[in-house]
Amino acid sequence: MRVAVLGAGTMGHGIAQVTAMAGHDVTVRDIETEYVENGLESIEANLEGGIERDKVTREEADAALERLSGTTDLAEAVEGTDLVIEAVPEDIDLKTGTLEDVEALVGDDTVVATNTSSLSITKIASAAERDGRVIGLHFFNPVHIMGLVEIVVAEQTDDDTVEFAHEFVEDIGKTPVEVTDSPGFASSRLGVALGVEAIRMVQEGVADPRDVDAAMELGYNHPMGPIELGDVVGLDVRLDILEYLREELGERFRPPQALKRKVRAGKLGKKTGEGFYVWEDGEVVGVSGEYEGDDGEDGDDGEDDDDRGGSN
């Protein structure tokens, strides 16, 4: 097939890599040449790492790279595509606008997928005239390692598109899990529920971040604890998802004050060098601050609940 991936960031270049490795021709598109080049370079670095670990042969890596191309031109990227996968930032207006632009350039049979981790696929699909061809394909980071893809079926998605999505996911060597479009789907809703409770435990002084994470890593065989995972995802992203789930599903998803204070301070996790942990060169080197705990409540801290960085 011919596939376009819109967005060359962490998720976009990972999706492009696994799709090209499965034998499909892939064009990566982003708004700046620098972003496209960085994405393609990241793919090459991932493949080199795979060769070093004997996970990928030199021939497989070279063949995948030959199937990849990059551009900043949307029309060029989506021309003649069977599938377009949108991996732009988590902003509903940006995603619906991207969908409208894509639909004007592709054929009636082209499937358009969104990689959103929590936003409503039904709402995104409502921007399309051919809304039956819109579906959610929620990949997990790092895409070239994680085996799951969540197929999220919107109210409008037709049966042929669902079948196409299952076949594509299996073809690229991933395991599909199909869910009905609902706030947070299955994975984000469950993952965020664990993450928010872990932050509350730190806030209440039950344990420090390292011990909370160790409990899940050693006791439940999680590859990464929920506090560290929040730092990796981005505390601002986690806060936005919680606010969205709180609005849709109720107060059990109310963000803890400890998380809100981190975001207000610009301590967003790995990408800023500090969140609940301190990071250097992509690795945890310490715990941020002293966690003496609050009064155990998620009540007001004298500031409006919506006075924070970002919104959803």
Side-chain angles (χ1 to χ4, degrees):
M1 293 193 302
R2 175 158 165 68
V3 180
V5 177
L6 309 183
T10 300
M11 298 307 297
H13 78 247
I15 295 168
Q17 176 182 330
V18 297
T19 303
M21 291 181 70
H24 304 293
D25 294 325
V26 184
T27 301
V28 181
R29 187 261 179 177
D30 214 313
I31 58 174
E32 299 286 347
T33 300
E34 178 185 2
Y35 302 156
V36 175
E37 292 175 348
N38 288 344
L40 294 175
E41 288 172 1
S42 294
I43 293 172
E44 187 169 0
N46 285 342
L47 291 171
E48 289 295 332
I51 292 169
E52 292 173 4
R53 295 189 298 275
D54 293 324
K55 301 292 186 181
V56 181
T57 67
R58 172 61 64 186
E59 291 74 17
E60 289 171 335
D62 289 343
L65 292 172
E66 287 179 3
R67 298 186 193 105
L68 284 159
S69 61
T71 183
T72 58
D73 188 306
L74 180 61
E76 177 185 340
V78 303
E79 182 181 4
T81 50
D82 302 284
L83 172 64
V84 177
I85 304 175
E86 164 272 303
V88 303
E90 289 285 278
D91 178 275
I92 191 70
D93 293 331
L94 178 58
K95 288 183 179 292
T96 54
T98 299
L99 177 57
E100 291 173 347
D101 292 342
V102 168
E103 190 179 38
L105 296 167
V106 299
D108 291 348
D109 293 333
T110 300
V111 171
V112 182
T114 173
N115 181 56
T116 180
S117 60
S118 63
L119 299 176
S120 169
I121 310 297
T122 299
K123 185 172 183 179
I124 293 170
S126 68
E129 292 184 11
R130 299 184 294 277
D131 52 10
R133 303 299 281 171
V134 179
I135 197 164
L137 290 179
H138 178 205
F139 289 79
F140 292 78
N141 183 37
V143 178
H144 64 290
I145 295 175
M146 301 297 285
L148 176 66
V149 176
E150 200 170 24
I151 296 176
V152 187
V153 182
E155 290 288 335
Q156 308 95 319
T157 307
D158 62 39
D159 291 342
D160 288 342
T161 300
V162 175
E163 182 179 354
F164 175 95
H166 275 272
E167 291 174 353
F168 171 72
V169 170
E170 292 170 358
D171 180 64
I172 62 173
K174 303 298 184 184
T175 300
V177 171
E178 181 181 328
V179 300
T180 301
D181 184 29
S182 60
F185 316 142
S187 59
S188 293
R189 183 168 167 179
L190 288 169
V192 168
L194 177 60
V196 71
E197 190 60 26
I199 294 172
R200 288 194 185 109
M201 290 171 64
V202 170
Q203 175 175 284
E204 295 167 10
V206 174
D208 76 8
R210 286 190 187 277
D211 288 336
V212 171
D213 280 346
M216 298 311 297
E217 291 167 4
L218 302 177
Y220 288 83
N221 204 30
H222 287 200
M224 181 181 294
I227 302 290
E228 184 178 352
L229 181 60
D231 266 17
V232 171
V233 170
L235 299 183
D236 53 337
V237 175
R238 178 134 291 182
L239 178 57
D240 282 343
I241 293 173
L242 280 169
E243 290 285 20
Y244 171 68
L245 293 179
R246 177 191 184 187
E247 180 181 346
E248 295 289 331
L249 298 175
E251 289 300 302
R252 67 187 184 275
F253 288 101
R254 182 172 185 165
Q257 293 300 328
L259 173 62
K260 294 166 75 173
R261 286 195 292 268
K262 287 290 184 185
V263 174
R264 288 174 179 139
K267 297 177 180 179
L268 308 182
K270 182 178 179 179
K271 61 188 174 184
T272 61
E274 184 175 349
F276 285 94
Y277 290 101
V278 178
W279 297 79
E280 288 183 7
D281 299 324
E283 301 292 334
V284 172
V285 296
V287 177
S288 172
E290 297 294 329
Y291 293 95
E292 298 176 353
D294 293 337
D295 59 4
E297 300 292 333
D298 286 342
D300 291 341
D301 60 358
E303 300 180 67
D304 189 282
D305 273 348
D306 292 327
D307 178 22
R308 60 186 175 83
S311 62
N312 195 17

